[in-house]
Amino acid sequence: MQEKKELNWVNVAKAISIITVLFVHTENYYGLKLGEINQFLCGFYVNAFFLISGYLLFRKQLNKPAIEAGSAQYIIGDGKKLIFSILYRLYIPMIIFSSIEFLPKIMITHRAFEFNALLIETVGAGTYWFTSALLIAEVIIALLLVTRRKNIGFYVVALGIISSIGIYLYDIEIFHLHREPFFVSRGILACFFLGLGALYWKYETWFDRVINKHTILLLLALYLYIAYFCPVAPRFMVSMGDMDVLGYFFGFLGSVY
């Protein structure tokens, strides 16, 4: 029953996030004037996906039998399996689908064929920012897991520190490219939200106990204040590589809410 409950909330959260992603992109493609609504949605619609990914990844990797294995055993065992899983689930599908769409895309957009662009958008995983960022974040987590630390705080703090580096990458010109290989800066920023997923996995029972209609209303009120009334606008767009401290907090509220 507990397993079913956990799967239910994950599926519901993913469904809500998918709907909001479609809603936000509807404005972009069809020119609808939904700016204020999008301001509300963008704080969680993609960040929630990262949080769920972190929850599922740490839930599997930090189970007791696996974590008791030493670093060397992990590298040749579960660590290798995790890396291959990342390649099969994320990297190879990205290469396949970005290759399929590359030629039709440049024909529709009247772009000249450039072999360098082909490499960046296919082998360089420069077409789908979300899956590329998730790939980078999961590889970082796989490397952290080599330490075989049992304390979830280690991973949350480490991912938070790594993610904070992404704030400064925004000011470096190479990370402003529309087709940044592997969207490395976005993957670094996303580490924060995968860390939140790890934290939620560890203290899920406590969260279930304290989250009620009163705390939900409080979180919503704080979220709305930051979105619409805060004197300093948060920078919270992982997709654009543009985050600041307030943006992290805003994204945290949106993901948890």
Side-chain angles (χ1 to χ4, degrees), residues 177-199:
L177 297 177
H178 181 60
R179 288 291 180 265
E180 172 195 341
F182 286 94
F183 291 94
V184 175
S185 60
R186 280 72 161 177
I188 292 174
L189 289 172
C191 285
F192 173 80
F193 297 101
L194 274 81
L196 288 182
L199 197 64

Side-chain angles (χ1 to χ4, degrees), residues 200-228:
Y200 182 77
W201 164 74
K202 182 65 176 180
Y203 299 104
E204 184 172 4
T205 303
W206 180 83
F207 278 109
D208 288 345
R209 189 168 61 250
V210 301
I211 297 296
N212 53 47
K213 63 181 180 180
H214 302 294
T215 53
I216 289 175
L217 289 175
L218 179 62
L219 288 174
L220 179 60
L222 187 55
Y223 184 82
L224 290 173
Y225 170 77
I226 296 176
Y228 298 114

